[in-house]
Amino acid sequence: VTVTETLEIGNCRVVKPDNKGAKLTGDYALDPLKADYGPLVKALVVTPPKGVVEPGNNATVTFQFTPPKELTETQVQFNTLLTLKGETIEQYRVKFVAQIIG
């Protein structure tokens, strides 16, 4: 069974006439899972893993998780880093928790 969740990333920057030359778009990137996570690396698909958000718009990031057959745990937790770049750089840890039933 594949589980799908989404995350909305927005850019609330307002375009003002006096902001000539200012960077108005916002970039985002999700780090790939580290090899330490073993079979979970291929179990999580992030679409798209990076992109650009124009002022006043949103980008939808989709996470699809399919538990690998070789997974023996009934609960798994893993995380990745989300980096947002605009006028400043911000980083957030995105944590995933899955309860495997059945």
Side-chain angles (χ1 to χ4, degrees), residues 50-80:
K50 61 183 176 179
V52 176
V53 184
E54 296 295 328
N57 290 308
N58 292 340
T60 302
V61 180
T62 303
F63 301 91
Q64 290 184 312
F65 178 72
T66 305
K69 290 181 174 64
E70 63 269 21
L71 190 66
T72 57
E73 298 89 3
T74 58
Q75 182 172 341
V76 293
Q77 295 184 23
F78 49 97
N79 58 64
T80 187

